Amino acid sequence: MPDLLIELFSEEIPARMQTKAAEDLRARLTEALVEAGLTYAGAAAFSTPRRLALTVQGLTGQSPTTREERKGPRVDAPEQAIEGFLRGAGLSRDQLEIRDEKKGQVYFATITKPGRPAAEIVAEELDKIIRNFPWPKSMRWGAGSLRWVRPLHSILCILTDETGEVTVVDLDVDGIRAGNTTEGHRFMGAGRFAVSSFDDYRAKLRRAHVILEANERAEHIWQEASNQAFASGLELVEDRGLLAEVAGLVEWPVVLMGRIDEAFLGLPPEVLQTSMKEHQKFFSVKNPKTGRIERFVTVANVETADQGATILAGNQKVLAARLSDAKFFWENDLRTVQAEGLEGMGAGLAHVTFHNKLGSQADRIARIAALAREIAPLVGADADLAEQAAKVAKADLQSAMVGEFPELQGLMGRYYAQAAGLPAEVAAACQEHYSPLGPGDAVPSAPVSVAVALADKIDTLTGFWAIDEKPTGSKDPYALRRAALGVIRLMLGNGVRGSLVTSFNSAIFSNILQLGNSSYITSLKKVADLARVKGIPFDELWEQISEMSEASTEARELLDEIVKPQDLKHATELFEGDILEVGQTNIAQDLLSFLHDRLKVHLKEEGIRHDVIDACLAMPGNDDLSLLVHRARALSDFLKTDDGENLLQGFKRANNILTQAEEKDGVEYSYGADVKFAETEEEKALFAALETAEPAIASALKAEDFARAMGAMAALRAPIDAFFTAVQVNAESQVIRRNRLNLLSSIRHICLQAADLGRIEGKTPVILGLDPRTSCRLRSSGQARGGRKSPEILGSSPRRTKIA
């Protein structure tokens, strides 16, 4: 069984493309070989700046011969049908076999496909892969039609059998003929050389100053750089992303450490690090005692007689020019802050559009500031500081430094706030309000930072929800899923308590003022919808909007032109039909559902089942995420115990019996039963257990101690089990039967106070009894006998009545 070796040698491949390209080559070729009938023992792909390589070990030398039997038309079928079958099978009529079947004689064809040599299959499949390789970007050069990431120079493709005999695969791609030779380092190599196997290939490359494995190059760079920094009493700043990139820029890494000019050491370390990384691909070396970045590490791709002195001199000269720009930006920004303050620096944001329907960045900052002030008490922050921080948090977007290095936004805001003499809490919020940006990002804990971060993300979500720009499928251009997860992590990580819907509505009020590009009818519909959401009259809402101090002048003028105060009554009547239609969509509730979906994904990582979360989402206060998660964790832990599982089964049994009885009787059995009708000791014991458990559960729920509430519920397990073992619910006496069904209603009522257990295991039984989440409401359902209105329990059939 031969081994296959392939190398595609080209001009430099961008570092960011190398790893995926090597994996694509491995996956596509091995899949194609298996499709063609070849098997293999193992495969591995490699990449350097100038080559993609693939080794496939233990490849079968030839594909197997296959035989396929095809059933054709009947012997007496039209001639055209028979000819078509022959063409498809690639046979002549005398090669067909006639067999007798129920409906007559039928032609059968046996198609034999002989096996093919591995070299022939490899040549055919590799040609297809090279011509259709999935490069993110590719180019065509010369007169040929081949496209590759950079000009392709040579193809090495050989099969080596167990005896060491080498077979060069016969392959020609646009005049590039496959061979058994390659070349080493661009500068230190000694020309082309032949190879006979993968081991020979790797060894000769190393002698030609090429390290084939990317992870080996990265490890060499890291170790050598760390050693040089340690020898100077310094410390290498870890950056694994930069390490992987640099390992893709060199085939023979030579690590060199240089000095940063004293004139630039006063720059913030993050500025130095970012400038060197982005422009020069240098690693930063810091002084562990002072935290200052004092030196840099560069990686050359060649060994020199002067041990890299010339290379370092050139790099230091270019670096000085780059850092001179950074120093100019830093000093210029500081002068602006000292002269105008941080709000002065951000004044230009009034001319920067955030979204054409949501106003400018300055409009958005005003909304965030108002919302941060409202949120501040919920997170234990000073309202004045939260508002102040929100007003200056994005001022650094107008700084020259962030214009040059956008990744420093927030961080530079902290430096500028400190330079402006603002409180430490405000400076911290400038940096931290963007967090968390991803699953691995830390969650801010300082109250002012939390208030501004929540306000920032809630404004983003409500704004785009108000203009109906929601994520769809895999598309999320405004990173709204990330913002939603940020809200969840901020609230859970800091134990924030409060109604999200209230905050949503406040943010929606502010965002409605930015709908200046919408027609006046759309604006009125949105205001009318908000009035319904808030549960207040249309004109009262309009007055609130008009009085909002942060309303932009343009938006206020637009709204004043739409409806004058004296026309409010007429506008309400005019759009009454539209109000009913628009009222079907509640922006805040829809957004809350979106957050609940994100929360399910977040809690799934903790091992909490989706049905447990659904059972808690059905309870009141589900827009208080901390309360919701506290309940879900307690329920999840409870259901993992024997008491929890058995009580759940008891609840389901009671609920099923009760539901069937209510369906049969056409009534709704109420919570509550009379112990005087109890006949058995088990029945009386259940009455006593319910009487004891109910106040204990109610007390625990009031204190939001869900673990204690469920512990009290666990005490019902034994009496419920005993009741169902000894008592027949459907007794012959209707009075006894009704009392026992009411007793089951009591069980259901008590169990539903902690969570909607009917949703556990994905089953949602129809619950016709009292729901602890809502009060019982009556509505007219038409005339009953005797001319009286018959009461109708919402969600039940009109003929049902409540049986006490």
Side-chain angles (χ1 to χ4, degrees), residues 56-350:
V56 181
Q57 301 90 32
L59 189 68
T60 48
Q62 182 170 325
S63 63
T65 299
T66 60
R67 290 179 175 81
E68 177 189 359
E69 189 177 84
R70 292 185 188 176
K71 182 179 179 181
R74 290 171 49 179
V75 173
D76 57 355
E79 190 65 25
Q80 295 90 334
I82 297 174
E83 289 297 327
F85 177 66
L86 290 172
R87 284 194 300 273
L91 301 175
S92 60
R93 188 171 302 206
D94 59 354
Q95 293 176 298
L96 298 180
E97 179 185 353
I98 300 175
R99 298 181 189 174
D100 292 327
E101 294 203 341
K102 292 182 180 180
K103 295 185 179 181
Q105 292 185 318
V106 177
Y107 282 121
F108 278 82
T110 300
I111 303 170
T112 301
K113 292 183 179 180
R116 295 192 296 157
E120 182 181 326
I121 296 173
V122 168
E124 180 181 301
E125 299 302 335
L126 185 57
D127 181 271
K128 294 177 187 176
I129 290 169
I130 292 174
R131 294 183 186 279
N132 300 283
F133 203 78
W135 292 110
K137 291 183 179 181
S138 58
M139 62 182 293
R140 185 170 57 83
W141 63 97
S145 60
L146 177 66
R147 299 188 68 87
W148 201 246
V149 63
R150 296 289 185 271
L152 184 64
H153 289 320
S154 68
I155 301 172
L156 183 153
C157 189
I158 60 174
L159 287 165
T160 307
D161 63 16
E162 294 90 335
T163 65
E165 183 179 348
V166 177
T167 300
V168 177
V169 174
D170 185 13
L171 171 65
D172 187 296
V173 181
D174 271 21
I176 304 173
R177 191 159 194 83
N180 66 339
T181 64
T182 185
E183 61 183 84
H185 195 277
R186 181 185 289 275
F187 305 113
M188 296 185 290
R192 299 192 70 84
F193 52 86
V195 299
S196 59
S197 66
F198 174 69
D199 290 338
D200 183 46
Y201 168 75
R202 180 165 53 183
K204 287 181 177 178
L205 278 180
R206 185 173 288 272
R207 289 197 292 271
H209 297 89
V210 174
I211 299 175
L212 183 60
E213 294 86 348
N215 59 349
E216 185 181 347
R217 296 196 300 273
E219 184 62 25
H220 172 80
I221 292 169
W222 182 255
Q223 288 297 332
E224 183 63 24
S226 297
N227 290 341
Q228 290 190 26
F230 180 77
S232 300
L234 302 174
E235 184 179 289
L236 186 66
V237 177
E238 184 172 2
D239 191 331
R240 292 291 170 179
L242 178 60
L243 179 63
E245 183 178 6
V246 173
L249 296 174
V250 294
E251 290 190 320
W252 190 256
V254 178
V255 178
L256 305 170
M257 187 166 69
R259 293 180 177 275
I260 300 174
D261 193 287
E262 190 72 27
F264 306 118
L265 296 183
L267 287 171
E270 296 86 355
V271 171
L272 288 170
Q273 184 176 352
T274 303
S275 179
M276 292 191 295
K277 173 182 177 179
E278 295 301 318
H279 294 311
Q280 305 300 123
K281 308 304 176 188
F282 290 171
F283 294 92
S284 297
V285 181
K286 71 178 180 180
N287 186 327
K289 297 178 181 178
T290 63
R292 294 197 314 175
I293 303 294
E294 297 182 355
R295 297 194 185 184
F296 67 89
V297 166
T298 183
V299 181
N301 191 35
V302 63
E303 294 177 351
T304 61
D306 61 359
Q307 286 74 49
T310 303
I311 295 174
L312 273 178
N315 282 333
Q316 288 178 170
K317 184 177 181 179
V318 174
L319 178 61
R322 290 291 187 184
L323 294 183
S324 293
D325 291 341
K327 184 180 180 183
F328 171 79
F329 296 146
W330 168 247
E331 293 175 347
N332 187 60
D333 289 340
L334 286 180
R335 281 192 294 269
T336 301
V337 169
Q338 290 164 2
E340 304 175 15
L342 207 51
E343 289 194 56
M345 171 181 276
L349 292 173

Side-chain angles (χ1 to χ4, degrees), residues 436-450:
L437 291 174
D441 197 15
V443 177
S445 58
V448 172
S449 299
V450 173

Side-chain angles (χ1 to χ4, degrees), residues 349-669:
L349 292 173
H351 307 294
V352 178
T353 300
F354 171 64
H355 189 281
N356 62 347
K357 292 183 180 179
L358 296 174
S360 67
Q361 283 283 9
D363 293 329
R364 180 166 183 257
I365 289 168
R367 297 195 303 267
I368 294 172
L371 189 56
R373 186 176 190 88
E374 183 178 322
I375 291 173
L378 301 178
V379 300
D382 180 271
D384 292 335
L385 282 178
E387 183 178 13
Q388 181 185 15
K391 287 181 177 179
V392 300
K394 298 186 183 297
D396 65 336
L397 295 178
Q398 284 293 98
S399 69
M401 186 68 78
V402 172
E404 178 70 12
F405 301 113
E407 58 271 35
L408 292 180
Q409 67 181 16
L411 175 66
M412 297 313 301
R414 181 173 199 151
Y415 280 114
Y416 296 143
Q418 291 170 344
L422 295 179
E425 299 90 336
V426 173
C430 290
Q431 178 181 359
E432 296 175 348
H433 80 280
Y434 290 105
S435 299
L437 291 174
D441 197 15
V443 177
S445 58
V448 172
S449 299
V450 173
V452 180
L454 278 173
D456 184 20
K457 292 165 179 58
I458 289 175
D459 177 79
T460 298
L461 290 166
T462 54
F464 286 106
W465 245 252
I467 62 174
D468 201 25
E469 290 280 359
K470 307 171 189 175
T472 56
S474 61
K475 296 181 179 179
D476 187 10
Y478 304 111
L480 300 181
R481 291 188 180 95
R482 185 176 70 185
L485 188 57
V487 171
I488 291 169
R489 292 187 62 201
L490 282 163
M491 296 194 73
L492 300 186
N494 292 283
V496 178
R497 299 295 309 277
S499 167
L500 270 177
V501 169
T502 300
S503 297
F504 288 165
N505 282 329
S506 297
I508 293 169
F509 280 160
S510 298
N511 273 299
I512 197 70
L513 298 174
Q514 306 305 330
L515 298 175
N517 293 333
S518 302
S519 68
Y520 77 91
I521 292 179
T522 301
S523 296
L524 279 177
K525 284 182 177 180
K526 288 184 177 292
V527 175
D529 186 23
L530 290 174
R532 290 179 58 83
V533 171
K534 199 71 175 175
I536 59 177
F538 180 94
D539 53 349
E540 184 178 334
L541 169 62
W542 198 275
E543 183 178 355
Q544 289 183 19
I545 291 178
S546 300
E547 292 176 354
M548 289 183 69
S549 60
E550 301 299 343
S552 69
T553 303
E554 180 181 354
R556 184 177 295 161
E557 289 174 354
L558 172 70
L559 296 178
D560 286 343
E561 290 174 5
I562 293 171
V563 178
K564 301 298 182 183
Q566 60 268 28
D567 296 330
L568 285 176
K569 182 178 179 182
H570 173 66
T572 306
E573 294 172 353
L574 179 63
F575 290 99
E576 186 174 359
D578 291 327
I579 289 172
L580 293 175
E581 178 183 351
V582 176
Q584 299 300 316
T585 302
N586 183 320
I587 297 174
Q589 288 296 334
D590 186 49
L591 179 53
L592 182 62
S593 296
F594 177 74
L595 258 76
H596 285 164
D597 290 340
R598 297 296 96 205
L599 180 64
K600 288 181 181 180
V601 176
H602 181 69
L603 292 182
K604 186 177 180 181
E605 297 175 358
E606 292 187 19
I608 300 178
R609 304 196 318 251
H610 68 89
D611 55 337
V612 171
I613 303 170
D614 286 337
C616 297
L617 285 174
M619 304 306 292
N622 64 8
D623 64 335
D624 184 337
L625 298 189
S626 294
L627 177 68
L628 173 61
V629 172
H630 183 36
R631 188 192 300 267
R633 287 170 177 160
L635 179 59
S636 178
D637 292 341
F638 178 59
L639 292 177
K640 292 174 183 177
T641 66
D642 290 340
D643 283 344
E645 182 62 31
N646 291 331
L647 180 65
L648 175 64
Q649 298 308 317
F651 162 80
K652 288 188 173 182
R653 185 174 180 183
N655 187 60
N656 290 337
I657 293 172
L658 192 58
T659 301
Q660 292 169 9
E662 288 175 333
E663 287 288 346
K664 177 182 176 182
D665 300 343
V667 299
E668 178 183 349
Y669 289 96

